[in-house]
Amino acid sequence: MADTAPNTSPSPTPTGYEADSRSAYYARIGQQNMAPLWESLHALVPKQPRPKAVAALWKYADIRSLVMQAGQLISAEEAVRRVLILENPGLPGTSSITSTLYAGLQLILPGEIAPAHRHTQSALRFIVEGKGAWTSVNGERTTMHPGDFIITPSWNWHDHGNPTVAEGGEPVVWLDGLDIPLLVHLDAGFAENHSEAMQAVVRPEGHSWARFGHNMMPVRHRVSDPTSPIFSYPYERSREALDSLYRFGELDAWDGVKLRYTNPATGGWPMPTMATFMQLLPAGFQGKTSRSTDATVFSVVEGRGTVRIGEQHFDYQPRDVFVVPSWQPVQLAAVSDAVLFSYSDRPVQAALNLLREERS
Ligand code: GTQ
């Protein structure tokens, strides 16, 4: 390559290209489905998370009558799932409350059935109002009470129903939490309807709780999937645990008394894509500020208080739902003894070694 002869080949940067404006160039490369990284590098590789999702709170007192009106517009059977989606104002048109999670309020009236189906999306139910409705998961029925946390793992048949008025049925509303947006990103959604509106019930209610709900499990149980063998985590038990810990003097300066729900067979999360928590904030609690990369949806069970998310302050009351976006500083306070349920995509972030938390 020691060629000392004068270079007679054409200039590598012809004057025509130099004169070209950047925008005309961008249009030309766009026709080849290409784009200049240097225009979007900061947004693509941000110094820290810049979620499109914003902090928001849904006041149950403002939306309850709208949820009930849906009951007059369409039957559960026709709707398949009669749900009002809680859509993050920063994510319009995406049916998402965070970039990976979905939330909705589902109404089931006395005598109704939401027909059996299954899908790869995992679902959780957190009972907000009313009791006595049931959900069947994989051949086992669970009766709902306010504050109960119920899971519908990926690809499990599930149908919901409610006894008639004569049988004591009342309207029941629960918060649906699903990983729908995550599966949209992954293009991993499959679903099918059951041939019957109601799947066959093959085990008595309480069967899985008897097998796994008492710090015991069947002797030869082998963990074959990461999903919890318990479908229902009754509020009574979670509430009692938080109360005992509080009486024993356990109080975290950021979280109050906070526990995570577990898969009793593994100690892991109840489902592989969503973490769930319940916490007690005693009256007068003023939490310190923390932030984490797992955007979190909260459902208020008991008590009143305030939450600061970034620059915003919200008052919360029982049955309100609020969302904390990724990496937003959050500070919880309670006026009266408050109990908060919450869920996030923490298992996904933890499995990918992406979870970051900061407490200040
Ligand atoms: O109950 O199966 O809110 O499939 C959204 C999709 C509930 C359900 C939702 C669903 C369900």
Side-chain angles (χ1 to χ4, degrees):
M1 295 298 286
D3 187 359
T4 52
N7 184 358
T8 55
S9 65
S11 160
T13 53
T15 46
Y17 283 7
E18 277 166 11
D20 202 355
S21 72
R22 284 184 183 175
S23 63
Y25 171 74
Y26 296 165
R28 247 186 349 267
I29 65 173
Q31 285 176 347
Q32 299 296 329
N33 302 312
M34 297 193 292
L37 171 64
W38 58 90
E39 292 290 347
S40 53
L41 185 59
H42 294 309
L44 291 175
V45 187
K47 288 218 159 69
Q48 56 179 43
R50 295 205 302 204
K52 289 202 186 84
V54 297
L57 181 140
W58 287 261
K59 278 214 159 302
Y60 198 70
D62 294 342
I63 60 175
R64 182 182 187 275
S65 67
L66 296 171
V67 173
M68 293 301 165
Q69 279 169 37
Q72 283 140 34
L73 274 180
I74 190 165
S75 71
E77 189 114 31
E78 190 195 341
V80 181
R81 296 294 183 264
R82 190 208 283 120
V83 180
L84 296 190
I85 299 168
L86 305 182
E87 188 176 72
N88 193 293
L91 301 167
T94 65
S95 302
S96 304
I97 191 160
T98 74
S99 59
T100 57
L101 297 174
Y102 159 104
L105 289 171
Q106 181 156 178
L107 169 68
I108 190 146
L109 294 173
E112 287 191 317
I113 290 169
H117 69 184
R118 64 177 178 178
H119 37 71
T120 50
Q121 292 83 0
S122 299
L124 66 86
R125 328 280 169 194
F126 187 71
I127 317 309
V128 169
E129 175 180 352
K131 59 176 184 335
W134 49 264
T135 190
S136 286
V137 179
N138 239 355
E140 188 175 328
R141 248 187 207 191
T142 296
T143 304
M144 301 174 166
H145 315 88
D148 291 354
F149 158 56
I150 294 173
I151 65 168
T152 311
S154 178
W155 212 240
N156 279 224
W157 294 113
H158 54 285
D159 43 295
H160 318 299
N162 200 340
T164 62
V165 174
E167 294 164 330
E170 57 187 49
V172 173
V173 177
W174 66 79
L175 178 69
D176 277 325
L178 288 91
D179 52 10
I180 288 173
L182 176 65
L183 270 76
V184 168
H185 292 302
L186 297 172
D187 272 331
F190 291 89
E192 59 188 33
N193 292 322
H194 201 281
S195 55
E196 308 286 332
M198 276 189 282
Q199 65 178 297
V201 173
V202 298
R203 283 184 300 278
E205 175 156 9
H207 192 260
S208 63
W209 183 257
R211 294 173 88 202
F212 293 95
H214 304 278
N215 300 318
M216 303 176 91
M217 68 172 98
V219 178
R220 287 172 195 86
H221 175 73
R222 294 182 65 166
V223 176
S224 55
D225 73 48
T227 291
S228 172
I230 285 180
F231 300 121
S232 176
Y233 297 74
Y235 183 56
E236 225 176 277
R237 304 297 298 270
S238 324
R239 184 71 180 83
E240 185 188 308
L242 295 177
D243 211 53
S244 300
L245 290 173
Y246 179 59
R247 278 188 279 108
F248 296 156
E250 196 157 301
L251 193 68
D252 180 82
W254 289 266
D255 293 332
V257 185
K258 186 172 185 178
L259 294 173
R260 68 176 176 91
Y261 289 88
T262 62
N263 171 344
T266 63
W269 311 100
M271 295 184 287
T273 54
M274 289 186 284
T276 46
F277 308 88
M278 191 168 270
Q279 69 198 111
L280 170 69
L281 310 174
F285 181 79
Q286 284 282 349
K288 292 188 183 180
T289 302
S290 65
R291 57 181 176 173
S292 75
T293 51
D294 59 329
T296 303
V297 181
F298 288 81
S299 175
V300 181
V301 195
E302 295 180 34
R304 289 183 304 111
T306 59
V307 55
R308 178 179 74 82
I309 308 167
E311 302 300 306
Q312 282 177 276
H313 288 78
F314 299 96
D315 292 325
Y316 65 78
Q317 286 182 29
R319 299 172 176 154
D320 291 351
V321 175
F322 61 89
V323 57
V324 178
S326 168
W327 213 235
Q328 288 284 303
V330 57
Q331 208 174 1
L332 291 163
V335 173
S336 53
D337 285 358
V339 179
L340 309 178
F341 170 83
S342 56
Y343 67 98
S344 81
D345 64 7
R346 178 167 290 232
V348 178
Q349 299 207 17
L352 301 178
N353 205 23
L354 295 172
L355 185 73
R356 283 202 198 193
E357 288 185 280
E358 199 176 79
R359 296 181 138 202
S360 49

